[in-house]
Amino acid sequence: MWGSILFIALILPQLGNSQSTINEQQWRQIQQELNEGLYRVQQDLKEEITKVIDNEINVDCEELQRVKYLGKQWKYPAWSCAELAERKPDYKNGYYWVQVNQGDAPDLVFCDLETEFSQGGKGWLKVANFNMTDPNQECPSQFTLITQPKRLCIRQEPQQGCSSMHFSSFGNAYRLVCGTVRAYAHSSLDGFYRYDCPNPCTINHHYVDGVSITHRRKHIWTYVRHCGDAPPHFVGNSYSCHGFSPRSFCRVLPQPTTDSLEVRVCRDQVREDEDVRLELVELYVQ
């Protein structure tokens, strides 16, 4: 286009300076060249405008596609389950594509978009979905399946101590953790205990007959069978001590983290004397 405009810019001065000396044939040639130049300018301008319009249309179409299929296709991932809950209030609980960091491959994760916990509203990433009522569910490593009186997971290690299972956050930064644990007590479980725990007793020790939930061994929540001795200082008030019936919890962490969550099943005696039998773990982060 700029070449056509330059051509016209060069011709016009010649017309102004030479009108009195050119003959009719030269005049017609100049007019023809001028008309051809103007036509080329029009065509070039039309092409440029078409490119701009097409580009804008493509951008608009791409954005419309992203809005329409947000989270439902690998090509159009959401940034988080919370974004899906905000932008797609008609979406139901299920698996969606989420891309935490630009440039990273999206992950197919389970988003709970309907439940409203006591903290955070809707839009939770479900990081743990361990449910032994599902006949296809297997026990994690370090745990063994028993089928009587029902399908439950117990620690492989018969001695006192703790066994862990880990659940990834898929790199999602979170500060809120909510969840539910269901377990069953075998024989005489205690509560918090200090007698067999080294002094000082830390979160790395078997400080409870129950279930401990942590991230990088920083305490989040503890489920304990009985309310007996006072909890260790690192537990504070973040525990439930009314048996192992399903009971939801929510905890606001001091600062955001992307750590995996660790669920530890602990006891202070050998399996023949007591045991914690795990059936359900559901953990959500936001």
Coordinates of all heavy atoms in Angstrom, one line a residue, residues 74-161:
W74 N -9.4 -29.0 27.1 CA -8.0 -28.8 27.4 C -7.5 -27.5 26.9 O -6.7 -26.8 27.5 CB -7.2 -30.0 26.8 CG -5.7 -29.9 27.1 CD1 -5.1 -30.4 28.2 CD2 -4.7 -29.3 26.3 NE1 -3.8 -30.2 28.2 CE2 -3.5 -29.5 27.0 CE3 -4.7 -28.6 25.1 CZ2 -2.3 -29.0 26.5 CZ3 -3.5 -28.1 24.6 CH2 -2.3 -28.3 25.3
K75 N -8.0 -27.0 25.8 CA -7.6 -25.8 25.1 C -8.0 -24.5 25.9 O -7.4 -23.5 25.8 CB -8.1 -25.7 23.7 CG -7.6 -24.6 22.9 CD -8.1 -24.6 21.4 CE -7.6 -23.4 20.6 NZ -8.1 -23.4 19.2
Y76 N -9.1 -24.7 26.7 CA -9.7 -23.5 27.4 C -9.7 -23.8 28.9 O -10.8 -23.9 29.5 CB -11.1 -23.2 26.8 CG -11.1 -23.0 25.4 CD1 -11.7 -23.9 24.5 CD2 -10.5 -21.9 24.8 CE1 -11.7 -23.8 23.1 CE2 -10.5 -21.7 23.4 CZ -11.1 -22.6 22.6 OH -11.1 -22.5 21.2
P77 N -8.6 -23.9 29.6 CA -8.6 -24.2 31.0 C -8.9 -23.0 31.8 O -8.7 -21.8 31.4 CB -7.2 -24.6 31.3 CG -6.3 -23.9 30.3 CD -7.2 -23.8 29.0
A78 N -9.5 -23.2 33.0 CA -9.7 -22.1 34.0 C -8.4 -22.0 34.8 O -7.6 -22.8 34.8 CB -10.9 -22.5 34.9
W79 N -8.3 -20.8 35.5 CA -7.2 -20.6 36.4 C -7.4 -21.3 37.7 O -6.4 -21.7 38.4 CB -7.0 -19.1 36.6 CG -6.6 -18.4 35.4 CD1 -7.3 -17.4 34.7 CD2 -5.4 -18.6 34.6 NE1 -6.6 -16.9 33.6 CE2 -5.4 -17.6 33.5 CE3 -4.3 -19.4 34.7 CZ2 -4.4 -17.6 32.6 CZ3 -3.3 -19.3 33.7 CH2 -3.4 -18.4 32.7
S80 N -8.6 -21.6 38.1 CA -8.9 -22.2 39.4 C -10.4 -22.7 39.4 O -11.2 -22.3 38.5 CB -8.7 -21.3 40.5 OG -9.6 -20.2 40.5
C81 N -10.7 -23.5 40.3 CA -12.1 -23.9 40.6 C -12.9 -22.7 41.0 O -14.1 -22.6 40.7 CB -12.2 -25.0 41.6 SG -11.4 -26.6 41.1
A82 N -12.3 -21.8 41.7 CA -13.0 -20.6 42.2 C -13.4 -19.8 41.0 O -14.5 -19.2 41.0 CB -12.1 -19.8 43.1
E83 N -12.6 -19.7 39.9 CA -12.9 -18.9 38.7 C -14.1 -19.6 38.1 O -15.1 -18.9 37.6 CB -11.8 -18.9 37.8 CG -12.1 -18.0 36.5 CD -11.1 -18.2 35.4 OE1 -10.3 -19.1 35.4 OE2 -11.2 -17.4 34.4
L84 N -14.2 -20.9 38.0 CA -15.3 -21.6 37.4 C -16.6 -21.3 38.2 O -17.6 -21.1 37.6 CB -15.0 -23.1 37.4 CG -14.0 -23.6 36.3 CD1 -13.8 -25.1 36.5 CD2 -14.5 -23.3 34.9
A85 N -16.5 -21.3 39.5 CA -17.7 -21.1 40.3 C -18.2 -19.6 40.1 O -19.4 -19.4 40.1 CB -17.4 -21.3 41.8
E86 N -17.3 -18.7 39.9 CA -17.7 -17.3 39.7 C -18.2 -17.1 38.3 O -19.3 -16.4 38.1 CB -16.5 -16.4 40.0 CG -16.8 -14.9 39.8 CD -15.6 -14.0 40.0 OE1 -14.5 -14.6 40.5 OE2 -15.7 -12.8 39.8
R87 N -17.6 -17.6 37.3 CA -17.9 -17.3 35.9 C -18.9 -18.3 35.3 O -19.6 -17.9 34.3 CB -16.7 -17.3 35.0 CG -15.6 -16.2 35.5 CD -14.5 -16.1 34.5 NE -14.9 -15.8 33.1 CZ -14.1 -15.6 32.1 NH1 -12.8 -15.9 32.2 NH2 -14.6 -15.3 30.9
K88 N -19.1 -19.4 35.9 CA -20.0 -20.5 35.4 C -20.9 -21.0 36.5 O -20.7 -22.1 37.0 CB -19.2 -21.6 34.8 CG -18.4 -21.2 33.5 CD -19.4 -20.9 32.4 CE -18.7 -20.7 31.1 NZ -19.7 -20.5 30.0
P89 N -21.8 -20.2 37.0 CA -22.6 -20.6 38.1 C -23.5 -21.8 37.8 O -24.1 -22.4 38.7 CB -23.4 -19.3 38.5 CG -23.4 -18.5 37.2 CD -22.1 -18.8 36.6
D90 N -23.7 -22.1 36.5 CA -24.6 -23.2 36.1 C -23.8 -24.5 36.1 O -24.4 -25.6 36.0 CB -25.2 -22.9 34.7 CG -24.1 -22.7 33.7 OD1 -23.1 -22.0 34.0 OD2 -24.3 -23.2 32.5
Y91 N -22.5 -24.5 36.2 CA -21.7 -25.7 36.2 C -22.0 -26.5 37.5 O -22.2 -26.0 38.6 CB -20.2 -25.4 36.2 CG -19.6 -25.1 34.8 CD1 -20.4 -24.9 33.7 CD2 -18.2 -25.1 34.6 CE1 -19.9 -24.6 32.4 CE2 -17.7 -24.8 33.3 CZ -18.5 -24.6 32.3 OH -18.0 -24.4 31.0
K92 N -21.9 -27.9 37.3 CA -22.1 -28.8 38.5 C -20.7 -29.3 38.9 O -19.7 -29.2 38.2 CB -23.0 -29.9 38.0 CG -24.4 -29.5 37.5 CD -25.1 -28.7 38.6 CE -26.5 -28.3 38.1 NZ -27.3 -27.4 39.1
N93 N -20.7 -30.0 40.0 CA -19.5 -30.7 40.5 C -19.0 -31.7 39.4 O -19.8 -32.4 38.8 CB -19.8 -31.5 41.8 CG -20.2 -30.6 42.9 OD1 -20.0 -29.4 42.9 ND2 -20.7 -31.2 44.0
G94 N -17.7 -31.7 39.2 CA -17.2 -32.6 38.2 C -15.7 -32.3 37.9 O -15.1 -31.5 38.6
Y95 N -15.2 -33.0 36.9 CA -13.8 -32.8 36.5 C -13.7 -31.7 35.4 O -14.5 -31.7 34.5 CB -13.2 -34.1 35.9 CG -12.9 -35.1 37.0 CD1 -13.9 -36.1 37.4 CD2 -11.7 -35.1 37.7 CE1 -13.6 -37.0 38.4 CE2 -11.4 -36.0 38.7 CZ -12.4 -36.9 39.0 OH -12.1 -37.8 40.0
Y96 N -12.7 -30.8 35.6 CA -12.5 -29.7 34.7 C -11.0 -29.5 34.5 O -10.2 -29.8 35.4 CB -13.2 -28.4 35.3 CG -14.7 -28.5 35.4 CD1 -15.3 -28.9 36.6 CD2 -15.5 -28.2 34.4 CE1 -16.6 -29.0 36.8 CE2 -16.9 -28.2 34.5 CZ -17.5 -28.6 35.7 OH -18.8 -28.7 35.8
W97 N -10.7 -28.8 33.4 CA -9.3 -28.5 33.1 C -8.9 -27.2 33.8 O -9.6 -26.2 33.7 CB -9.1 -28.4 31.6 CG -9.2 -29.6 30.9 CD1 -10.3 -30.1 30.1 CD2 -8.2 -30.7 30.8 NE1 -10.0 -31.3 29.6 CE2 -8.8 -31.7 30.0 CE3 -7.0 -30.8 31.3 CZ2 -8.1 -32.9 29.7 CZ3 -6.3 -32.0 31.1 CH2 -6.8 -33.0 30.3
V98 N -7.9 -27.2 34.6 CA -7.4 -26.1 35.3 C -5.9 -25.9 35.0 O -5.1 -26.8 35.1 CB -7.6 -26.2 36.8 CG1 -7.0 -25.1 37.6 CG2 -9.1 -26.2 37.1
Q99 N -5.5 -24.7 34.7 CA -4.1 -24.3 34.4 C -3.7 -23.3 35.5 O -4.1 -22.1 35.5 CB -4.0 -23.7 33.0 CG -2.5 -23.4 32.6 CD -2.4 -22.8 31.3 OE1 -3.3 -22.1 30.8 NE2 -1.3 -23.0 30.6
V100 N -2.8 -23.7 36.4 CA -2.4 -22.9 37.5 C -1.5 -21.8 37.0 O -1.7 -20.6 37.4 CB -1.7 -23.7 38.6 CG1 -1.3 -22.8 39.8 CG2 -2.7 -24.8 39.1
N101 N -0.5 -22.1 36.3 CA 0.5 -21.1 35.8 C 0.5 -21.1 34.3 O 0.5 -22.1 33.6 CB 1.9 -21.5 36.3 CG 2.0 -21.5 37.8 OD1 1.6 -20.5 38.5 ND2 2.5 -22.6 38.4
Q102 N 0.6 -19.9 33.7 CA 0.6 -19.7 32.3 C 1.8 -20.4 31.7 O 3.0 -20.2 32.2 CB 0.6 -18.2 31.9 CG 0.4 -18.0 30.4 CD 0.1 -16.5 30.1 OE1 0.2 -15.7 31.0 NE2 -0.2 -16.2 28.9
G103 N 1.7 -21.2 30.7 CA 2.8 -22.0 30.2 C 2.8 -23.4 30.6 O 3.4 -24.2 29.9
D104 N 2.2 -23.7 31.8 CA 2.2 -25.1 32.3 C 1.0 -25.8 31.6 O 0.0 -25.2 31.2 CB 2.0 -25.1 33.8 CG 3.2 -24.6 34.5 OD1 4.3 -24.4 33.9 OD2 3.1 -24.4 35.7
A105 N 1.2 -27.1 31.5 CA 0.1 -27.9 30.9 C -1.1 -28.0 31.9 O -0.9 -28.0 33.1 CB 0.6 -29.3 30.7
P106 N -2.3 -27.9 31.4 CA -3.5 -27.9 32.3 C -3.6 -29.3 33.0 O -3.2 -30.3 32.5 CB -4.7 -27.6 31.4 CG -4.1 -27.1 30.2 CD -2.7 -27.6 30.0
D107 N -4.3 -29.3 34.2 CA -4.5 -30.6 34.9 C -6.0 -30.8 34.9 O -6.8 -29.8 35.0 CB -4.0 -30.5 36.3 CG -2.5 -30.5 36.4 OD1 -1.9 -31.5 35.9 OD2 -1.9 -29.6 37.0
L108 N -6.4 -32.0 34.8 CA -7.9 -32.4 34.9 C -8.1 -32.7 36.4 O -7.6 -33.7 36.9 CB -8.2 -33.6 34.0 CG -9.7 -34.0 33.9 CD1 -10.5 -32.9 33.3 CD2 -9.8 -35.3 33.1
V109 N -8.9 -31.8 37.0 CA -9.1 -31.9 38.5 C -10.6 -31.9 38.8 O -11.4 -31.5 38.0 CB -8.4 -30.8 39.2 CG1 -6.9 -30.7 38.9 CG2 -9.0 -29.4 38.8
F110 N -10.9 -32.4 40.0 CA -12.3 -32.4 40.4 C -12.6 -31.1 41.1 O -11.9 -30.7 42.2 CB -12.6 -33.6 41.3 CG -14.0 -33.7 41.6 CD1 -14.8 -34.6 40.9 CD2 -14.7 -33.0 42.7 CE1 -16.2 -34.8 41.1 CE2 -16.0 -33.2 42.9 CZ -16.8 -34.0 42.2
C111 N -13.5 -30.3 40.6 CA -14.0 -29.1 41.2 C -15.3 -29.2 41.9 O -16.3 -29.7 41.2 CB -14.0 -27.9 40.2 SG -12.4 -27.4 39.6
D112 N -15.4 -28.9 43.2 CA -16.7 -28.9 43.8 C -17.2 -27.4 43.7 O -16.7 -26.5 44.3 CB -16.6 -29.2 45.3 CG -17.9 -29.4 46.0 OD1 -18.8 -28.5 45.8 OD2 -18.1 -30.3 46.8
L113 N -18.2 -27.3 42.9 CA -18.8 -25.9 42.5 C -20.1 -25.7 43.2 O -20.7 -24.6 43.0 CB -18.9 -25.8 41.0 CG -17.6 -26.1 40.2 CD1 -17.9 -26.0 38.7 CD2 -16.5 -25.1 40.6
E114 N -20.6 -26.6 44.0 CA -21.9 -26.5 44.6 C -21.9 -26.3 46.1 O -22.7 -25.7 46.7 CB -22.8 -27.7 44.2 CG -22.9 -27.8 42.7 CD -23.7 -29.1 42.3 OE1 -24.9 -29.2 42.7 OE2 -23.0 -30.0 41.7
T115 N -20.9 -27.0 46.8 CA -20.9 -27.0 48.2 C -20.4 -25.6 48.8 O -19.4 -25.1 48.3 CB -20.0 -28.1 48.8 OG1 -20.4 -29.3 48.3 CG2 -20.0 -28.1 50.3
E116 N -21.0 -25.1 49.8 CA -20.6 -23.9 50.5 C -20.2 -24.3 51.9 O -21.0 -24.6 52.7 CB -21.7 -22.8 50.5 CG -22.0 -22.2 49.2 CD -22.8 -20.9 49.3 OE1 -22.4 -20.0 49.9 OE2 -24.0 -20.9 48.8
F117 N -18.9 -24.3 52.1 CA -18.4 -24.6 53.4 C -18.5 -23.3 54.3 O -18.9 -22.3 53.8 CB -16.9 -25.1 53.4 CG -16.7 -26.4 52.7 CD1 -16.3 -26.5 51.4 CD2 -17.0 -27.6 53.4 CE1 -16.2 -27.7 50.8 CE2 -16.8 -28.8 52.9 CZ -16.4 -28.9 51.5
S118 N -18.1 -23.5 55.6 CA -18.2 -22.3 56.5 C -17.3 -21.2 56.1 O -17.4 -20.1 56.5 CB -18.0 -22.8 57.9 OG -16.7 -23.4 58.0
Q119 N -16.3 -21.5 55.3 CA -15.3 -20.5 54.8 C -15.2 -20.6 53.3 O -15.4 -21.6 52.7 CB -13.9 -20.8 55.4 CG -13.8 -20.9 56.9 CD -13.7 -19.6 57.5 OE1 -13.5 -18.6 56.9 NE2 -13.9 -19.5 58.8
G120 N -15.1 -19.4 52.6 CA -14.7 -19.4 51.2 C -15.8 -19.5 50.2 O -15.5 -19.3 49.0
G121 N -17.0 -19.8 50.5 CA -18.0 -19.9 49.5 C -17.9 -21.1 48.6 O -17.4 -22.1 49.0
K122 N -18.2 -21.0 47.3 CA -18.1 -22.1 46.4 C -16.8 -22.0 45.6 O -16.1 -21.0 45.6 CB -19.3 -22.0 45.4 CG -20.7 -22.2 46.1 CD -21.8 -22.2 45.1 CE -23.2 -22.3 45.7 NZ -24.3 -22.3 44.7
G123 N -16.6 -23.2 44.9 CA -15.4 -23.2 44.0 C -14.2 -23.8 44.7 O -13.2 -23.1 44.9
W124 N -14.2 -25.1 45.0 CA -13.2 -25.8 45.8 C -12.5 -26.9 44.9 O -13.2 -27.6 44.2 CB -13.7 -26.5 47.0 CG -14.2 -25.5 48.0 CD1 -15.5 -24.9 48.0 CD2 -13.6 -25.0 49.2 NE1 -15.6 -24.0 49.1 CE2 -14.4 -24.1 49.8 CE3 -12.3 -25.2 49.7 CZ2 -14.1 -23.4 51.0 CZ3 -11.9 -24.6 50.9 CH2 -12.8 -23.7 51.5
L125 N -11.2 -27.0 45.0 CA -10.4 -28.0 44.4 C -10.4 -29.2 45.3 O -10.0 -29.1 46.5 CB -9.0 -27.6 44.1 CG -8.0 -28.7 43.7 CD1 -8.4 -29.3 42.3 CD2 -6.6 -28.1 43.6
K126 N -10.9 -30.4 44.9 CA -11.0 -31.6 45.7 C -9.6 -32.3 45.5 O -9.4 -32.9 44.5 CB -12.1 -32.5 45.3 CG -12.4 -33.6 46.2 CD -13.7 -34.3 45.8 CE -14.2 -35.3 46.8 NZ -15.5 -35.9 46.4
V127 N -8.8 -32.3 46.5 CA -7.5 -32.9 46.4 C -7.5 -34.3 47.0 O -6.6 -35.1 46.6 CB -6.4 -32.1 47.2 CG1 -6.3 -30.7 46.5 CG2 -6.7 -31.9 48.6
A128 N -8.4 -34.7 47.8 CA -8.5 -36.1 48.4 C -9.9 -36.6 48.2 O -10.8 -36.0 48.7 CB -8.0 -36.1 49.8
N129 N -10.0 -37.8 47.6 CA -11.2 -38.4 47.4 C -11.0 -39.9 47.7 O -11.1 -40.7 46.8 CB -11.8 -38.2 46.0 CG -13.2 -38.8 45.9 OD1 -13.9 -38.9 46.8 ND2 -13.6 -39.1 44.6
F130 N -10.8 -40.2 49.0 CA -10.5 -41.6 49.4 C -11.7 -42.1 50.1 O -12.1 -41.7 51.1 CB -9.3 -41.5 50.4 CG -9.0 -42.8 51.1 CD1 -8.3 -43.8 50.5 CD2 -9.5 -43.0 52.4 CE1 -8.0 -44.9 51.1 CE2 -9.2 -44.2 53.0 CZ -8.5 -45.1 52.4
N131 N -12.4 -43.1 49.4 CA -13.7 -43.5 49.9 C -13.8 -45.0 49.7 O -14.0 -45.5 48.6 CB -14.8 -42.8 49.1 CG -16.2 -43.1 49.7 OD1 -16.4 -44.0 50.5 ND2 -17.2 -42.3 49.4
M132 N -13.7 -45.8 50.8 CA -13.7 -47.2 50.7 C -15.1 -47.8 50.5 O -15.2 -49.0 50.4 CB -13.0 -47.8 52.0 CG -11.6 -47.5 52.1 SD -10.6 -47.9 50.6 CE -10.7 -49.7 50.6
T133 N -16.1 -47.0 50.5 CA -17.4 -47.6 50.1 C -17.5 -47.8 48.6 O -18.4 -48.5 48.2 CB -18.6 -46.6 50.6 OG1 -18.4 -45.4 49.9 CG2 -18.5 -46.3 52.1
D134 N -16.6 -47.2 47.9 CA -16.4 -47.5 46.5 C -15.7 -48.9 46.3 O -14.6 -49.0 46.7 CB -15.7 -46.4 45.8 CG -15.5 -46.6 44.3 OD1 -15.8 -47.7 43.8 OD2 -14.9 -45.8 43.6
P135 N -16.3 -49.9 45.7 CA -15.7 -51.2 45.7 C -14.4 -51.2 44.8 O -13.6 -52.1 44.9 CB -16.8 -52.1 45.0 CG -17.7 -51.1 44.3 CD -17.7 -49.9 45.1
N136 N -14.2 -50.2 44.0 CA -13.0 -50.1 43.2 C -11.9 -49.3 43.9 O -10.8 -49.3 43.3 CB -13.3 -49.4 41.8 CG -14.3 -50.2 41.0 OD1 -14.2 -51.4 40.9 ND2 -15.3 -49.5 40.5
Q137 N -12.2 -48.7 45.0 CA -11.1 -48.0 45.7 C -10.1 -48.9 46.4 O -10.5 -49.9 47.1 CB -11.8 -47.1 46.8 CG -10.8 -46.3 47.7 CD -10.2 -45.1 46.9 OE1 -10.9 -44.2 46.6 NE2 -8.9 -45.1 46.8
E138 N -8.9 -48.6 46.2 CA -7.8 -49.4 46.9 C -7.2 -48.6 48.0 O -7.2 -47.4 48.0 CB -6.8 -49.9 45.8 CG -7.3 -50.7 44.7 CD -6.2 -51.1 43.7 OE1 -5.1 -50.6 43.9 OE2 -6.5 -51.9 42.8
C139 N -6.6 -49.3 48.9 CA -5.9 -48.7 50.0 C -4.5 -48.1 49.5 O -3.9 -48.7 48.7 CB -5.6 -49.6 51.2 SG -7.1 -50.2 52.0
P140 N -4.1 -47.0 50.0 CA -2.8 -46.4 49.6 C -1.7 -47.3 50.1 O -1.9 -48.2 50.9 CB -2.8 -45.0 50.3 CG -4.2 -44.8 50.7 CD -4.8 -46.1 50.9
S141 N -0.5 -47.0 49.6 CA 0.7 -47.7 50.1 C 0.8 -47.4 51.6 O 0.4 -46.4 52.1 CB 2.0 -47.3 49.4 OG 2.2 -45.9 49.5
Q142 N 1.4 -48.3 52.4 CA 1.5 -48.3 53.8 C 0.2 -48.7 54.5 O 0.2 -48.7 55.8 CB 2.0 -46.9 54.3 CG 3.3 -46.4 53.8 CD 3.8 -45.2 54.5 OE1 3.7 -45.1 55.7 NE2 4.4 -44.3 53.7
F143 N -0.8 -49.0 53.8 CA -2.1 -49.4 54.4 C -2.5 -50.7 53.8 O -2.2 -51.1 52.6 CB -3.1 -48.4 54.2 CG -2.9 -47.1 55.0 CD1 -2.1 -46.1 54.5 CD2 -3.5 -46.9 56.2 CE1 -1.8 -45.0 55.2 CE2 -3.3 -45.8 57.0 CZ -2.4 -44.8 56.5
T144 N -3.3 -51.5 54.5 CA -3.8 -52.8 54.1 C -5.3 -52.8 54.2 O -5.9 -52.2 55.1 CB -3.3 -53.9 55.0 OG1 -1.8 -53.9 54.9 CG2 -3.8 -55.3 54.7
L145 N -5.9 -53.5 53.2 CA -7.4 -53.6 53.2 C -7.9 -54.7 54.1 O -7.4 -55.8 54.1 CB -7.8 -53.9 51.7 CG -9.3 -54.2 51.5 CD1 -10.2 -53.0 51.8 CD2 -9.6 -54.7 50.1
I146 N -8.9 -54.4 54.8 CA -9.7 -55.4 55.5 C -11.2 -55.3 55.0 O -11.6 -54.3 54.6 CB -9.6 -55.3 57.1 CG1 -10.3 -53.9 57.5 CG2 -8.2 -55.4 57.6 CD1 -10.4 -53.8 59.0
T147 N -11.9 -56.4 55.1 CA -13.2 -56.4 54.5 C -14.3 -56.7 55.6 O -15.5 -56.7 55.3 CB -13.4 -57.5 53.4 OG1 -13.0 -58.8 53.9 CG2 -12.5 -57.1 52.2
Q148 N -13.9 -57.0 56.8 CA -14.8 -57.2 57.9 C -14.5 -56.3 59.1 O -13.3 -56.2 59.5 CB -14.7 -58.7 58.4 CG -15.1 -59.7 57.4 CD -16.6 -59.6 57.0 OE1 -17.4 -59.2 57.8 NE2 -16.9 -59.9 55.7
P149 N -15.5 -55.6 59.6 CA -16.9 -55.7 59.3 C -17.3 -55.0 58.0 O -18.4 -55.2 57.6 CB -17.6 -55.1 60.5 CG -16.6 -54.0 60.9 CD -15.2 -54.6 60.7
K150 N -16.4 -54.3 57.4 CA -16.6 -53.6 56.1 C -15.3 -53.3 55.5 O -14.2 -53.5 56.1 CB -17.5 -52.3 56.3 CG -16.9 -51.3 57.3 CD -17.9 -50.3 57.8 CE -18.7 -49.7 56.7 NZ -19.6 -48.6 57.2
R151 N -15.3 -52.7 54.3 CA -14.1 -52.4 53.6 C -13.4 -51.2 54.3 O -13.9 -50.0 54.2 CB -14.3 -52.1 52.1 CG -14.8 -53.3 51.3 CD -15.0 -52.9 49.9 NE -13.7 -53.0 49.1 CZ -13.1 -52.0 48.7 NH1 -13.5 -50.7 48.8 NH2 -11.9 -52.1 48.0
L152 N -12.3 -51.4 54.9 CA -11.6 -50.3 55.6 C -10.1 -50.5 55.4 O -9.6 -51.6 55.0 CB -11.8 -50.4 57.1 CG -13.3 -50.3 57.5 CD1 -13.5 -50.7 59.0 CD2 -13.9 -48.9 57.3
C153 N -9.3 -49.4 55.6 CA -7.9 -49.4 55.5 C -7.2 -49.3 56.9 O -7.6 -48.4 57.6 CB -7.4 -48.3 54.6 SG -7.8 -48.5 52.8
I154 N -6.3 -50.2 57.1 CA -5.5 -50.1 58.4 C -4.0 -50.0 58.1 O -3.6 -50.3 57.0 CB -5.8 -51.4 59.3 CG1 -5.3 -52.6 58.5 CG2 -7.3 -51.4 59.6 CD1 -5.4 -53.9 59.4
R155 N -3.3 -49.6 59.0 CA -1.8 -49.4 58.9 C -1.2 -50.8 58.7 O -1.6 -51.8 59.3 CB -1.2 -48.8 60.1 CG -1.6 -47.4 60.3 CD -0.9 -46.8 61.6 NE 0.5 -46.9 61.5 CZ 1.3 -47.4 62.4 NH1 0.8 -47.9 63.5 NH2 2.7 -47.4 62.2
Q156 N -0.3 -50.9 57.7 CA 0.4 -52.2 57.5 C 1.3 -52.5 58.7 O 1.5 -53.6 59.1 CB 1.3 -52.1 56.3 CG 0.5 -52.1 55.0 CD 1.4 -52.0 53.7 OE1 2.6 -51.8 53.9 NE2 0.8 -52.1 52.6
E157 N 1.9 -51.5 59.3 CA 2.8 -51.6 60.4 C 2.1 -52.0 61.7 O 1.2 -51.2 62.1 CB 3.6 -50.3 60.6 CG 4.5 -50.3 61.9 CD 5.5 -51.5 61.8 OE1 6.2 -51.6 60.8 OE2 5.5 -52.2 62.8
P158 N 2.3 -53.1 62.3 CA 1.6 -53.5 63.5 C 2.0 -52.8 64.8 O 1.2 -52.8 65.8 CB 1.9 -55.0 63.6 CG 3.2 -55.2 63.0 CD 3.3 -54.2 61.9
Q159 N 3.2 -52.2 64.7 CA 3.6 -51.5 66.0 C 3.0 -50.1 66.1 O 2.4 -49.6 65.2 CB 5.2 -51.4 65.9 CG 5.9 -52.8 65.8 CD 5.5 -53.7 66.9 OE1 5.4 -53.3 68.1 NE2 5.2 -55.0 66.6
Q160 N 3.3 -49.5 67.2 CA 2.8 -48.1 67.4 C 3.5 -47.2 66.4 O 4.6 -47.5 65.9 CB 3.1 -47.7 68.9 CG 4.6 -47.5 69.2 CD 4.9 -47.1 70.6 OE1 4.1 -47.4 71.5 NE2 6.0 -46.5 70.8
G161 N 2.9 -46.0 66.2 CA 3.5 -45.1 65.3 C 2.4 -44.5 64.3 O 1.2 -44.6 64.6

